[in-house]
Amino acid sequence: MTLPSTRILIVGPLVVAAALITIAGLRTQGHFQFIDFRAYDQWVRWRSTAAINDPYITIVGITEDDLQDGWPITDRNLAAVLERLLEHEPAAIGVDLYRDMPVPADSSAFDGLNDVITRHPNVLMVAKMGAAGKFEIPPPSCLSDRPDQVGFNDLLIDTGIDNVIRRAILFMDDGSNHYFSLSFQLASRYLALHEIYPRTGDATPSNLRFGNAEIPPVQPDTGAYVRTDAGGYQILMDFRGPVSYPVLTLHDVLNPDVDLSAIRGKAVVIGTVADSLKDHAMTPVKYRHWGVELHAAVANQLIRIALGEDVPMRVWTERAETIWLVLWCLIGAAIGFICRRPWWLLLLLGVTSACLVGATAIAFSLQTWVPVAAPAIALWAAAVAVHVLYSYEKLRAMFRQLRVVNAELEQTNRTLESKVQERTRELDEKNVQLTDLNREKNEFLGMAAHDLRSPLSAIQGFADTIFEDYDDYTKDQIIRFAGIISRSTNRMFAMINNLLDVNAIETGNMNYSMVRIEFRNAVLDVVDRHRPRAEEKDIRLLFDVPEQKIDITADHNALEQILDNLISNALKYSPATSTVTVIVTVSENGAYGRCDICDQGPGLSAEDQDMLFQKFSRLSPKPTGGEQSVGLGLFIVRKLVDSMEGSISCKSAVGSGSTFTVTFPLANR
């Protein structure tokens, strides 16, 4: 009996492979994105810092109190804010407020604002990108020829998943122009003071390099993303800067009593933090993250990486993630095979799942995002599948043992009945055999009596004639009578030999001496022996002699008997003035010697062809010269051919003659 563990070793890998392929397919279709992003968000929250001070960036926020002075902020007030901030020499000022038109519309201070912006290259204004890389909301007109003072403020929201921001876009192009984000511009201005400039990567030229760090871009299948839009140069946000920033209000900036010296050498971002303006979005760390804070967070991330204080977010290659998935699937299969009890299985799976989550959390703390959903599901699926398979095989083995015991008990009770049934069955089989033998005997006796009557009558008649009236006949007449007696005797001998051959074949007493035979000569000998008979019936007997020598392996006597029967049959059923053609070739596959005997006789119907090689079969066509047939010739031919590993077939149609094809193995095969 096959042990359950042995069957698991056979069937288990197939089950595990099916589970692995299914999970991998679901993963590539994005069915695990939601789980992986929940894990991503949780790990971001676990490692997020509680710090509120940013050594690189200061936010000037427009609060509800500031809105009491009117909204949008006027050109005059914005220019005053910029002038006040510029007095303290910040590295850069990013204004996250649109100024594509004067505020108010008839503002006379618009030119003054533009003058402040153009006089200070470290003042950056925002624009909003639209379709096809064009501005939906353009920057101030004074910066139309100063793209280095413009940064777009577009945010990337995972709209197809959960409407959370996890990525940032640094720059994009429309094929001829490059456009940079406000965050990138702020970080670049800050780092320029430290003589650090953005350039292409050394290891990968398509990567962005800041300082000694290369920042890889987001790809369509980065991490848990599946076929996401990765246009432009996007990065994963790590949210390792301050979660909330202290905010200087507009009133603080414009108050001469407030000390602003802390902004010296820092990047400053001006934006709204008023609830009524709803300039916020959801991130892994905050339900309402102000847009100005998001720009500050991306700039903070770039600065930390460039200064060597942190490393970029990394992801594994598709190949590495596949190996990771296969590894946990195999671990699950091993757990399912080892644990025989369900509670041990659940306990060990719980511990192993915690190890998986812990490993991916540690990797995330090292700035490497490894998806966890597919490996965890593969772990549980493989373990449960193998455990269920083991339980099934265990129950199957128990039921099999019960069936064996029940069968033994039933067998003991049925012994006598079984023996009686066996004896009855044997008697029935013997009766069937006796019936078949009796039928064949009757067929044989009927055919033998019918076929022997004519030659015996001829022999008796001509013998009596010679015996009683010997003196009344000439010598030539007596010789003719003796010839008729001889031919009749030969017919009886032929029929008796056929019957003896059938008996020898069916009892396995036919002996074969397989030797190398030159096929052309063997066929030619048989053809020559039948030429007198062909001439007697006015039939053309043609032999298509091949050019090459063909040697086959066969029994010489059996081969002559086969060819003799086939050629004599062709002559027997062919009408006068017709042609019988014998062709010797090599089969198409080069492994057999082939002989085709083609006649122009009446042909065979489909019903006749079905009975062609059966014993005692009598077919519709009749011999054209009064010849007799026992119905055993082709049956014997088929048996002899099969015994010598050859083949025989017939191709025929009524009115179109017949072609018998017989093949024998080549001697050098």
Side-chain angles (χ1 to χ4, degrees), residues 388-443:
V388 169
L389 178 63
Y390 168 78
S391 301
Y392 168 76
E393 290 299 331
K394 184 177 179 180
L395 290 174
R396 191 168 178 265
M398 293 174 59
F399 282 121
R400 189 161 51 243
Q401 291 175 350
L402 288 174
R403 285 198 298 270
V404 170
V405 172
N406 290 335
E408 291 176 352
L409 291 175
E410 292 176 0
Q411 183 64 30
T412 301
N413 295 331
R414 293 197 306 264
T415 300
L416 181 59
E417 181 182 354
S418 176
K419 289 182 178 180
V420 171
Q421 291 177 350
E422 183 178 354
R423 295 296 181 269
T424 303
R425 185 169 55 254
E426 291 177 355
L427 288 174
D428 291 340
E429 291 175 356
K430 294 296 183 182
N431 286 333
V432 171
Q433 293 177 3
L434 288 173
T435 301
D436 291 341
L437 290 174
N438 186 59
R439 177 178 52 78
E440 288 191 4
K441 179 203 70 173
N442 292 335
E443 289 179 358

Side-chain angles (χ1 to χ4, degrees), residues 2 36 47-48 60 99 101 134 220 257 266 273 317 388 410 430 439 456 499 519 545 548-549 578 622 631 649:
T2 304
D36 278 319
R47 72 172 191 183
S48 62
V60 175
R99 267 305 180 268
M101 60 182 64
K134 302 300 181 182
D257 295 330
K266 297 175 69 173
V273 292
T317 63
V388 169
E410 292 176 0
K430 294 296 183 182
R439 177 178 52 78
L456 284 174
L499 294 172
F519 201 20
V545 182
Q548 74 274 28
K549 180 181 178 182
S578 63
K622 302 301 180 184
S649 62

Side-chain angles (χ1 to χ4, degrees), residues 111 113-121 123 142-143 146 149:
D111 292 337
L113 174 62
N114 289 341
D115 180 64
V116 173
I117 295 172
T118 55
R119 281 189 295 107
H120 298 88
V123 175
C142 65
L143 299 180
R146 295 189 179 194
Q149 283 186 255

Side-chain angles (χ1 to χ4, degrees), residues 19-37:
L20 178 61
I21 292 172
T22 301
I23 293 170
L26 293 174
R27 171 176 168 267
T28 58
Q29 295 300 316
H31 293 285
F32 304 139
Q33 278 186 298
F34 186 81
I35 300 174
D36 278 319
F37 283 124

